[in-house]
Amino acid sequence: MMNTFQFDTASLLVALPEIFLLSSIVVILLLDLFLTKGFKQVTYYLTQASLLITGILSYSLIGQPETLIFGNSFILDDMASVFKVFMMGAAMVAMVYSRHYLTQHSLFTGEYFVLVLLSILGMMVMVSGYSLLTLYLGLEILSLSLYTLIAIARKRSSAIEAALKYFVLGAIASGLLLYGMSMIYGISGSINIIDIAAFASDSNLGSRETLIINFGLVFLVIGIAFKLGAVPFHMWVPDVYEGSPTSVTMFISTVPKIAAVAMLVRILVDGLGSMHAYWSDLFMIIALLSIALGSVVALMQTNIKRMFAYSTISHVGFVMLGFVTGVVTGYGAATFYILAYVLMSLAAFGVIILLNKKGFEADQISDYKGLSKHSPWFALMMLVVMLSMAGVPPFIGFYSKFFILQQVISAGFVTVAIIAVVFAVISAYYYLQIIKSMYFNDAEQELTITAPMDMKLVLSINAILILVVGLFPDFWMRLSLSLF
Amino acid sequence: MTFDQILFYVFSFWFVASSLAMIFSRNAAKAVLFLILSFFSAASIWILLEAEFLAIILILVYVGAVMVLFLFVIKMLNIDKSTLRAKFTGYLPLGLIVAVIIIAEMTLVLGGNQFGLDVVSAPARHAADYSNITVLAMQLYTTYVYPFELAAVLLLLAIIAAITLVHRNDVSRKKQSISEQVSVQAKDRVRLVSITSPKKENK
């Protein structure tokens, strides 16, 4: 067998963000060893700097023509670049919030930042993955870092339990995903998305081929739904959210969601888009169950992290509804939704972390009683986030729900839209409950805000963005639509 | 029946039988030994499929390294079997029903109708001088160089994760501090205690 492979070094330039990030991970990892206790902050600043530069490199690649390198297993297109820029931005904000939490709970170690960077590398691989193998490897890099990040608070038994639960269930989900991938590979004869797409969209596809693709498709949908945390594969979400250190919970609920949506797009839209009629039915059931269960069960929660876990489940349901429509505008609306959700979730967990102090986690809803009297500004920020998540105009959460429902109705699923709206109204109750305890109840305990200035500033900007993007959503909407 | 087929059925029988024996064996150490046997049978089937390199790797890495580690862990942990089996019978009916349904569905979809020899032609046998490893290396370092690098990152991550989770604080680590050893003085280590010795009683 002769080697016909052409390796052009110049083609590596389109993978520059990944290459840079991996190099800086290695540098930070080694440098951290030699830093004495007083200089540990250097790791933090280097992490932020490498995230920033990776973001800038990704930004500079926006607008490049679609390029496939590494034997068609890596794709550079606008979706990859835009998602990477958003992921870097979200990760930087998350790091600013995390630093306060980590110093308060004495978890500030160099490994934490290295693991976060590695998980981001995994997500970038997923976003740019154009073969089943690279997508899977990216997912494993992401998951393995997340398991470790949760267990990093090893003095807390709840964190160990959460990590173990996530690990076992994640391993099963990875197995199912791999099994589905092997079916698709077995019938199409390729692991590259581009070849799978060509195979699946062949007009004279036999019933045998369709059957096997469908068989694999079910497993792929299960794997993706697990990673997104959609019902009935949501069991891990509340326990992991509650048990993890809050900074890790914030990270899990934001950046990886973008990567999971990217993986969904790569496999189901780019690869098996012609099989849409088969997977959209599965998606609709999963989406409606997620919206219903997420909205109803969250009503009973007293722990705010657990409540946000169920709220995530219902938000994920909305994102999946966008993919049910099967039209480009629907996919755009789903992308808009997930990016908006990441913005809101960051701010929500930011407020939780803001109230953290040594030996105290502000994770009960009753902890927010009387916040408006103690700190009117941050109570207002939380008010903005909660109203936005509930879907009240003019915040971004309203428009994200609005675009999804608009697409769902124009695709002819009026009943589905009505069910989704009903549960969205029900879910407004628990968001308003937090507002009620902030504004109309007296504080049960002394609230102190020990957060540094940079965190307060970033959190304020984050919350104000929710309002500003909500007032002018057309830029984000056009950006989301241009990706498909 | 050709010789190949006889070999295939023998290895497959041992594969399935040892896997079942592994699940149902009460002794954890025996279960590991059965697992080794099932790995060995799987490797034999791979050799029949002309995947010699993978077969050897399976035996070297899984049987040689991972399973030995498993044995060590099992011997060290001293797992209480009664707690492991406590809920076994409770979950058995439901588990059996689910397993039967899944097996039925899989045989329907993946049976001979879909993947039989009349549908998918048997792969051509290679000549005796065909080198499996050369072809694999050629693919691994060219077409699949990106996944190959990613696997390396995954291994690096695994190392970092393991050290992060197991590494304890500096306090509990026994390390040698040379500067302290050099600058140590007699009064730090030796304490002179004046003991009043009882006077000898002269008879």
Side-chain angles (χ1 to χ4, degrees):
Chain A
M1 188 187 191
M2 277 307 295
N3 180 23
T4 53
F5 187 79
Q6 295 295 314
F7 197 81
D8 183 11
T9 331
S11 71
L12 286 179
L13 277 180
V14 297
L16 198 58
E18 280 86 354
I19 295 171
F20 174 80
L21 189 64
L22 179 58
S23 318
S24 52
I25 287 169
V26 176
V27 170
I28 292 172
L29 186 64
L30 286 176
L31 198 70
D32 184 65
L33 280 177
F34 298 101
L35 290 172
T36 47
K37 272 216 166 64
F39 290 93
K40 282 290 176 197
Q41 294 289 336
V42 174
T43 317
Y44 166 76
Y45 288 111
L46 279 177
T47 306
Q48 288 286 33
S50 52
L51 284 174
L52 180 68
I53 296 172
T54 314
I56 292 171
L57 289 173
S58 307
Y59 182 79
S60 69
L61 289 171
I62 294 179
Q64 292 266 339
E66 204 174 285
T67 322
L68 284 166
I69 57 165
F70 293 127
N72 290 349
S73 63
F74 180 99
I75 188 174
L76 177 91
D77 57 0
D78 275 359
M79 192 188 96
S81 302
V82 169
F83 272 17
K84 280 176 203 167
V85 172
F86 267 97
M87 275 168 17
M88 292 311 131
M92 284 178 72
V93 174
M95 284 296 99
V96 172
Y97 299 163
S98 300
R99 179 164 71 140
H100 173 57
Y101 183 86
L102 296 174
T103 39
Q104 292 293 308
H105 295 266
S106 49
L107 293 170
F108 194 98
T109 51
E111 298 92 70
Y112 185 92
F113 296 102
V114 171
L115 284 168
V116 166
L117 287 178
L118 272 166
S119 74
I120 289 170
L121 181 72
M123 290 185 249
M124 291 173 80
V125 171
M126 282 165 78
V127 168
S128 271
Y130 219 52
S131 90
L132 298 178
L133 186 57
T134 37
L135 282 166
Y136 175 72
L137 282 170
L139 181 68
E140 282 305 291
I141 296 176
L142 163 67
S143 312
L144 209 59
S145 332
L146 290 185
Y147 306 144
T148 321
L149 277 174
I150 297 170
I152 216 163
R154 55 175 176 231
K155 278 173 197 149
R156 251 184 273 174
S157 61
S158 63
I160 300 293
E161 186 197 326
L164 210 60
K165 214 171 246 175
Y166 194 20
F167 177 67
V168 172
L169 290 175
I172 293 172
S174 293
L176 291 175
L177 193 70
L178 266 185
Y179 192 67
M181 286 175 173
S182 74
M183 286 300 132
I184 302 289
Y185 172 56
I187 197 68
S188 72
S190 175
I191 52 168
N192 289 335
I193 301 284
I194 192 164
D195 300 327
I196 293 170
F199 179 84
S201 56
D202 193 352
S203 52
N204 41 14
L205 203 63
S207 65
R208 169 178 164 265
E209 282 85 359
T210 319
L211 178 71
I212 308 288
I213 289 183
N214 261 318
F215 187 70
L217 199 58
V218 174
F219 289 97
L220 290 179
V221 169
I222 292 174
I224 291 168
F226 176 89
K227 295 299 167 185
L228 278 168
V231 180
F233 313 104
H234 66 288
M235 294 303 184
W236 59 278
V237 183
D239 292 330
V240 168
Y241 273 44
E242 190 187 357
S244 313
T246 312
S247 62
V248 181
T249 311
M250 170 179 64
F251 189 70
I252 293 176
S253 83
T254 52
V255 198
K257 298 285 179 230
I258 304 181
V261 168
M263 183 171 81
L264 191 165
V265 172
R266 293 297 183 214
I267 297 181
L268 294 183
V269 178
D270 290 356
L272 297 167
S274 52
M275 294 278 144
H276 176 265
Y278 296 101
W279 55 260
S280 69
D281 288 349
L282 292 173
F283 260 50
M284 193 190 291
I285 297 166
I286 293 175
L288 282 179
L289 282 175
S290 305
I291 294 173
L293 187 123
S295 306
V296 174
V297 181
L299 298 176
M300 275 98 76
Q301 304 305 323
T302 53
N303 183 303
I304 196 164
K305 280 156 83 179
R306 233 181 146 76
M307 193 207 90
F308 277 131
Y310 285 105
S311 135
T312 308
I313 294 173
S314 88
H315 284 297
V316 160
F318 273 97
V319 173
M320 292 180 95
L321 269 190
F323 288 99
V324 171
T325 59
V327 287
V328 170
T329 41
Y331 302 156
T335 310
F336 182 91
Y337 199 105
I338 199 71
L339 296 180
Y341 168 73
V342 166
L343 192 69
M344 294 188 289
S345 189
L346 273 177
F349 281 104
V351 176
I352 299 178
I353 290 178
L354 185 83
L355 297 177
N356 261 281
K357 55 180 182 248
K358 238 183 189 66
F360 170 68
E361 297 244 11
D363 60 358
Q364 298 298 317
I365 294 177
S366 56
D367 291 338
Y368 293 82
K369 283 182 180 168
L371 183 66
S372 69
K373 292 192 188 68
H374 176 76
S375 168
W377 175 248
F378 288 108
L380 184 68
M381 301 287 108
M382 194 62 163
L383 175 82
V384 167
V385 179
M386 289 299 109
L387 289 180
S388 177
M389 280 200 170
V392 177
F395 302 107
I396 191 171
F398 167 73
Y399 285 101
S400 48
K401 280 200 174 66
F402 175 77
F403 288 138
I404 291 278
L405 292 173
Q406 193 187 31
Q407 294 305 322
V408 170
I409 290 172
S410 64
F413 302 111
V414 181
T415 333
V416 174
I418 292 172
I419 297 172
V421 168
V422 167
F423 281 107
V425 172
I426 294 174
S427 72
Y429 169 80
Y430 56 78
Y431 297 122
L432 293 176
Q433 197 188 10
I434 293 179
I435 296 174
K436 180 196 140 237
S437 53
M438 283 193 309
Y439 280 90
F440 302 109
N441 290 61
D442 289 325
E444 284 173 351
Q445 59 200 10
E446 186 72 21
L447 286 164
T448 44
I449 293 176
T450 52
M453 206 53 222
D454 61 338
M455 176 176 173
K456 287 180 181 171
L457 190 70
V458 173
L459 182 58
S460 307
I461 295 171
N462 188 344
I464 291 167
L465 260 182
I466 293 174
L467 177 64
V468 172
V469 182
L471 289 173
F472 309 102
D474 51 325
F475 169 70
W476 270 38
M477 193 58 211
R478 239 178 292 141
L479 183 74
S480 311
L481 279 176
S482 71
L483 303 182
F484 291 95
Chain B
M1 202 184 268
T2 61
F3 184 58
D4 270 16
Q5 278 170 320
I6 295 170
L7 280 182
F8 173 77
Y9 282 115
V10 169
F11 291 139
S12 302
F13 170 76
W14 280 115
F15 189 20
V16 176
S18 59
S19 302
L20 286 175
M22 182 217 126
I23 296 168
F24 290 110
S25 99
R26 287 183 173 275
N27 187 330
K30 269 186 198 161
V32 170
L33 293 175
F34 277 121
L35 191 58
I36 291 176
L37 182 60
S38 81
F39 277 148
F40 224 86
S41 323
S44 315
I45 295 175
W46 277 357
I47 286 194
L48 286 181
L49 289 171
E50 298 189 358
E52 297 90 2
F53 181 70
L54 282 181
I56 291 167
I57 287 294
L58 181 71
I59 291 174
L60 281 183
V61 175
Y62 277 87
V63 178
V66 178
M67 282 303 118
V68 172
L69 211 66
F70 258 52
L71 266 182
F72 271 114
V73 171
I74 284 167
K75 285 287 165 200
M76 281 200 291
L77 284 186
N78 192 20
I79 303 158
D80 185 13
K81 274 162 256 159
S82 56
T83 53
L84 283 178
R85 290 182 174 271
K87 286 175 182 169
F88 183 74
T89 42
Y91 287 124
L92 190 64
L94 188 66
L96 268 182
I97 292 168
V98 173
V100 167
I101 291 174
I102 290 178
I103 291 173
E105 284 176 347
M106 280 169 64
T107 34
L108 276 179
V109 178
L110 306 175
N113 295 340
Q114 267 70 16
F115 285 102
L117 272 179
D118 46 335
V119 189
V120 186
S121 56
R125 289 275 163 191
H126 292 288
D129 61 343
Y130 178 82
S131 169
N132 195 290
I133 300 175
T134 320
V135 177
L136 200 70
M138 209 66 133
Q139 288 290 316
L140 209 55
Y141 293 110
T142 55
T143 317
Y144 295 102
V145 68
Y146 183 54
F148 185 69
E149 295 287 332
L150 288 178
V153 174
L154 203 55
L155 285 178
L156 172 73
L157 170 61
I159 296 170
I160 298 171
I163 294 175
T164 309
L165 294 182
V166 178
H167 175 81
R168 301 286 161 195
N169 296 330
D170 295 316
V171 186
S172 63
R173 235 187 321 157
K174 286 197 175 69
K175 62 173 182 182
Q176 192 180 21
S177 171
I178 295 168
S179 59
E180 268 180 41
Q181 286 180 336
V182 171
S183 62
V184 79
Q185 304 211 322
K187 65 174 176 4
D188 299 333
R189 295 276 167 88
V190 184
R191 191 160 57 100
L192 292 173
V193 186
S194 51
I195 299 170
T196 47
S197 53
K199 282 172 188 169
K200 273 183 185 172
E201 288 173 36
N202 292 323
K203 281 182 185 170

